Amino acid sequence: MQVPDIIIAIDGYSSTGKSSFAKIIAKEFSFLYLDSGALYRGVTLFAIENGFISDDCTIDVPGLDKALNDLDLHFGENGTYIGERCIETEIRSLAVAGKVSPIATVPEVRAFVDKKLREFGASKRVVMDGRDIGTTVFPNAELKIFMTADPMIRAQRRAAEMTAKGIEVDIQDVLKNLQERDYIDSHREASPLSQAEDAIVLDNSHMTMEDQLVWLKGIISERFGC
Ligand code: CDP
């Protein structure tokens, strides 16, 4: 399928499979994939390790904002990096998941991440996933998808993913974490998670990845005549 030079924005709730879907899309259409959540997770790891966020999630906003000026957070061969250090495993831990949504409420952090994302998006042929890509980062994206799924199914998928990586988790802890994140993400003041008016909803509770790809190709051919 010959897909035109567009930006595909995928937003939605935690653990709905946005990043897995985005990666498949990138591979299928030779698009660049950008995981905006990984950047928020990277800032969170940096904040934890440097004492900018306490155990009860109090954030030293001025300190963090200043430190962001020198934070070399970027994507590399094996995922997300701070300088030379690959942080891909650490950013997927529950310790980071437990603090990322409070960190993502900070406008200074959002500005830092948005700037990086917009630089990447300048080239088009990009698929990006997050919470506010279609509403804030790329409001003019040619195709916007809003993903949702039943919470228990989402928790099961995420727990299976972590177990496969050798991380032991309790399904109730995972469910609690994703519900808390959904709540904070939807209720924060700065660019909350919300469905763009022109986004197409995809509830994938009972869909396979293959089903999703067929669904997407149908939409693309209908909309762009390819
Ligand atoms: O993959 P998962 O659904 O667990 O989340 P993620 O995409 O890795 O994002 C982690 C967290 O970063 C989210 O719960 C949000 O708090 C925040 N985030 C955001 O605020 N805006 C984005 N565009 C992407 C992520």
Side-chain angles (χ1 to χ4, degrees):
M1 179 174 214
Q2 208 48 45
V3 181
D5 292 354
I6 57 171
I7 291 181
I8 303 178
I10 304 182
D11 289 305
Y13 294 102
S14 299
S15 311
T16 43
K18 299 181 298 291
S19 62
S20 311
F21 191 29
K23 280 181 202 156
I24 299 272
I25 295 172
K27 195 157 168 243
E28 184 77 16
F29 304 144
S30 304
F31 270 36
L32 176 67
Y33 164 56
L34 294 172
D35 175 358
S36 68
L39 297 180
Y40 287 103
R41 287 171 180 268
V43 172
T44 304
L45 180 70
F46 174 74
I48 293 172
E49 291 184 341
N50 292 281
F52 295 119
I53 183 164
S54 65
D55 288 345
D56 67 356
C57 285
T58 306
I59 302 168
D60 169 8
V61 175
L64 178 58
D65 184 29
K66 192 156 173 277
L68 286 178
N69 288 323
D70 299 317
L71 175 60
D72 176 20
L73 179 64
H74 59 98
F75 296 117
E77 203 175 327
N78 295 310
T80 316
Y81 289 72
I82 291 180
E84 306 264 286
R85 173 184 168 211
C86 179
I87 54 168
E88 199 50 40
T89 305
E90 291 93 325
I91 62 171
R92 307 292 163 191
S93 66
L94 264 185
V96 168
K99 293 202 163 65
V100 63
S101 286
I103 288 284
T105 63
V106 176
E108 290 84 347
V109 171
R110 302 205 70 82
F112 171 82
V113 171
D114 286 356
K115 185 165 174 276
K116 288 193 182 293
L117 295 174
R118 292 197 181 111
E119 282 165 11
F120 292 127
S123 59
K124 293 267 174 167
R125 295 193 83 75
V126 165
V127 53
M128 205 175 282
D129 81 311
R131 302 291 187 288
D132 61 342
I133 307 301
T135 49
T136 304
V137 183
F138 288 112
N140 297 326
E142 289 82 358
L143 184 57
K144 300 179 188 177
I145 300 166
F146 189 84
M147 286 177 68
T148 181
D150 176 82
M152 196 55 190
I153 292 177
R154 294 195 266 140
Q156 282 162 348
R157 287 178 184 158
R158 180 50 55 100
E161 204 176 275
M162 296 179 95
T163 309
K165 285 185 190 154
I167 308 168
E168 278 315 308
V169 283
D170 180 318
I171 184 96
Q172 291 304 330
D173 289 343
V174 175
L175 179 63
K176 190 164 163 272
N177 172 260
L178 65 90
Q179 287 175 326
E180 277 170 5
R181 281 199 286 137
D182 285 347
Y183 184 85
I184 301 175
D185 293 347
S186 314
H187 291 82
R188 69 177 174 228
E189 212 157 291
S191 330
L193 164 66
S194 67
Q195 188 189 322
E197 257 176 41
D198 50 349
I200 309 167
V201 176
L202 171 62
D203 181 336
N204 69 0
S205 302
H206 304 288
M207 284 170 96
T208 63
M209 198 53 85
E210 188 54 37
D211 294 337
Q212 289 181 198
L213 201 54
V214 170
W215 174 88
L216 180 72
K217 284 181 176 171
I219 302 237
I220 291 180
S221 82
E222 200 176 285
R223 191 173 283 194
F224 303 103
C226 53

